């Protein structure tokens, strides 16, 4: 939409993420406990024209927990290694005004303080998948789990596998995607994948981090 108005939509998003990094480095302890404030401060310091969704996850070492703040339809899923493979333990929910109209921060957007907050108690080897809606609109949660189970010890391959699978399905006009399922629930005629940006980050809780948290 911004591109249609002659605005480069990447500028706002890049500045937003740069601000997240800048503010977090200034006070890691405070923002680790309050990622919503990190979103608020990063958004308020962004004067670029545009808008974006945003999901932020921080590790609170003192509490031994992962804290999330999420606004819009980017999101995350946490997978835990069980005997028969990964299982989903926590999944973010989309924030939308209506179908395909997500909350966003930026020019004419929503108040960043509306971001959802979630807290999760970590265990060693937990897998954290954070992604834009281009992933979750095209892959059902079980598909994410299946891809992770293919190469459970190679985070790069998991990330690339998720990206490739989401992209291939996004251009499949016959695929009954999660986006298509949601469209149907809203009485809209849509079939196929959702062609959209696909950004994926995959992280694993390392033993060093786990030991540091268990010391508190």
């Amino acid at each position: 939409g911004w591109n249609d108005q002659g605005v480069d939509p990447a500028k706002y998003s890049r500045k937003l993420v740069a601000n997240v990094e800048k503010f977090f480095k200034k006070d890691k302890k405070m923002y680790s406990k309050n990622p919503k404030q990190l979103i608020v401060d990063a958004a308020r310091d962004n004067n670029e024209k545009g808008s974006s969704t945003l999901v932020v996850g921080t590790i609170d070492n003192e509490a031994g927990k992962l804290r999330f703040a999420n606004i819009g339809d980017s999101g995350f899923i946490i997978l835990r290694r069980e005997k028969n493979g990964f299982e989903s333990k926590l999944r973010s929910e989309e924030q939308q005004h209506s179908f395909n109209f997500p909350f966003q921060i930026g020019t004419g957007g929503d108040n960043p303080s509306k971001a959802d907050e979630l807290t999760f108690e970590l265990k060693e080897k937990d897998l954290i998948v954070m992604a834009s809606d281009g992933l979750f609109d095209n892959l059902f949660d079980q598909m994410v789990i299946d891809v992770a189970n293919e190469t459970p010890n190679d985070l790069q391959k998991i990330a690339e596998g998720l990206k490739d699978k989401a992209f291939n399905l996004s251009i499949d006009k016959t695929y009954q995607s999660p986006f298509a399922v949601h469209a149907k629930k809203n009485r809209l005629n849509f079939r196929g994948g959702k062609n959209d940006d696909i950004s994926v980050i995959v992280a694993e809780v390392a033993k060093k981090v786990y030991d540091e948290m268990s010391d508190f």
Side-chain angles (χ1 to χ4, degrees), residues 59-180:
I59 292 178
D60 181 352
N61 282 332
E62 292 184 1
K65 294 180 179 180
L66 186 62
R67 302 190 187 277
F68 285 102
N70 183 44
I71 189 160
D73 56 4
S74 293
F76 64 87
I77 183 170
I78 297 179
L79 307 181
R80 179 158 291 168
R81 297 174 188 269
E82 303 291 358
K83 186 175 181 180
N84 296 318
F86 287 109
E87 291 183 6
S88 174
K89 293 299 179 180
L90 183 65
R91 172 74 153 81
S92 61
E93 294 185 6
E94 297 177 346
Q95 280 184 313
Q96 296 196 22
H97 295 285
S98 58
F99 176 68
N100 205 28
F101 181 19
F103 282 34
Q104 294 190 80
I105 48 177
T107 309
D110 297 287
N111 190 322
S113 64
K114 292 183 178 180
D116 282 339
E117 294 179 284
L118 287 169
T119 303
F120 182 77
E121 190 166 345
L122 293 166
K123 285 190 176 182
E124 183 187 354
K125 295 288 187 178
D126 281 350
L127 208 67
I128 305 158
V129 179
M130 302 174 71
S132 65
D133 60 320
L135 181 84
F136 294 114
D137 280 343
N138 289 295
L139 298 187
F140 293 95
D141 289 0
Q142 186 57 50
M143 290 179 171
V144 175
I145 293 171
D146 291 343
V147 170
N149 281 330
E150 290 175 4
T151 55
N153 299 312
D154 192 324
L155 304 188
Q156 184 67 29
K157 285 186 177 180
I158 293 174
E160 291 177 355
L162 291 171
K163 176 261 297 180
D164 290 342
K165 192 173 187 66
F167 173 74
N168 291 333
L169 290 173
S170 75
I171 57 176
D172 185 342
K173 302 300 183 183
T174 64
Y175 170 54
Q176 188 72 354
S177 64
F179 184 83

Side-chain angles (χ1 to χ4, degrees), residues 11 49 189 202-203 205:
K11 288 184 178 180
K49 188 174 183 179
N189 186 18
V202 179
V205 180

Side-chain angles (χ1 to χ4, degrees), residues 12-55:
Y12 181 88
S13 298
R14 288 170 179 164
K15 177 64 173 176
L16 185 65
V17 174
N19 284 349
V20 168
E21 181 180 20
K22 178 182 72 173
F23 281 102
F24 186 76
K25 286 181 176 179
K26 284 183 179 179
D27 196 339
K28 293 182 179 180
K29 186 173 182 179
M30 187 273 285
Y31 286 120
S32 292
K33 295 180 180 296
N34 193 349
K36 179 188 277 192
Q37 189 62 47
L38 184 56
I39 289 180
V40 170
D41 292 344
R44 287 178 177 170
D45 195 49
N46 191 347
N47 294 319
E48 294 287 348
K49 188 174 183 179
S51 57
S52 180
T53 63
L54 180 63
V55 56

